[in-house]
Amino acid sequence: MLVVGLLLFVPGALTGDLDVWWRLVSAVGALSTIAGLRILWGSVVVVRPKGLRIQRNWPFRRDVPWYRILAIDVVPGFWHLEVELNSGERLTLPAVDDLERLYQLMEHHRQALDA
């Protein structure tokens, strides 16, 4: 649906036959569909050596260093991860395709700080 919207908005934004207002509305629509596609196809949780990056609403992201993570729990039934920070804040990560690998990577990086 977003690709169809993008295919409809881009010609309207680039054509010179339309009024400026219609071209502006088409450009805003095209940018909105591009942002929607990025949110839909982009990775939400990225495990990096420096820390955990959470990108729920692109382009806004949150970086959590490994030393701030106190505990990581798998919530049974819902099958998502709940991360507890040292400050007491709890982050619920969205469901991912390979939950076990994500959990193992996060625990590996978090416990490497203790070594």
Side-chain angles (χ1 to χ4, degrees):
M1 195 67 167
L2 290 173
V3 173
V4 171
L6 185 64
L7 293 175
L8 292 175
F9 284 128
V10 168
L14 298 178
T15 186
D17 297 339
L18 298 175
D19 291 336
V20 174
W21 292 107
W22 283 110
R23 291 177 63 191
L24 184 64
V25 168
S26 295
V28 169
L31 290 175
S32 297
T33 56
I34 289 171
L37 286 170
R38 170 60 179 98
I39 290 170
L40 184 66
W41 285 332
S43 57
V44 176
V45 179
V46 180
V47 178
R48 303 179 314 145
K50 295 165 109 179
L52 187 66
R53 175 171 281 176
I54 304 166
Q55 307 175 132
R56 286 182 198 243
N57 299 322
W58 182 80
F60 305 111
R61 62 181 177 242
R62 180 174 182 187
D63 291 324
V64 180
W66 293 117
Y67 65 85
R68 291 197 55 216
I69 295 175
L70 181 65
I72 303 169
D73 297 321
V74 178
V75 179
F78 296 105
W79 302 115
H80 60 260
L81 295 177
E82 187 174 85
V83 178
E84 183 178 354
L85 302 180
N86 292 336
S87 63
E89 180 183 4
R90 291 183 178 268
L91 301 173
T92 302
L93 302 180
V96 294
D97 187 32
D98 195 357
L99 184 70
E100 291 177 17
R101 182 175 176 275
L102 177 66
Y103 179 76
Q104 289 171 352
L105 281 172
M106 290 174 61
E107 278 297 314
H108 168 74
H109 285 294
R110 190 179 72 82
Q111 290 177 359
L113 293 174
D114 296 336

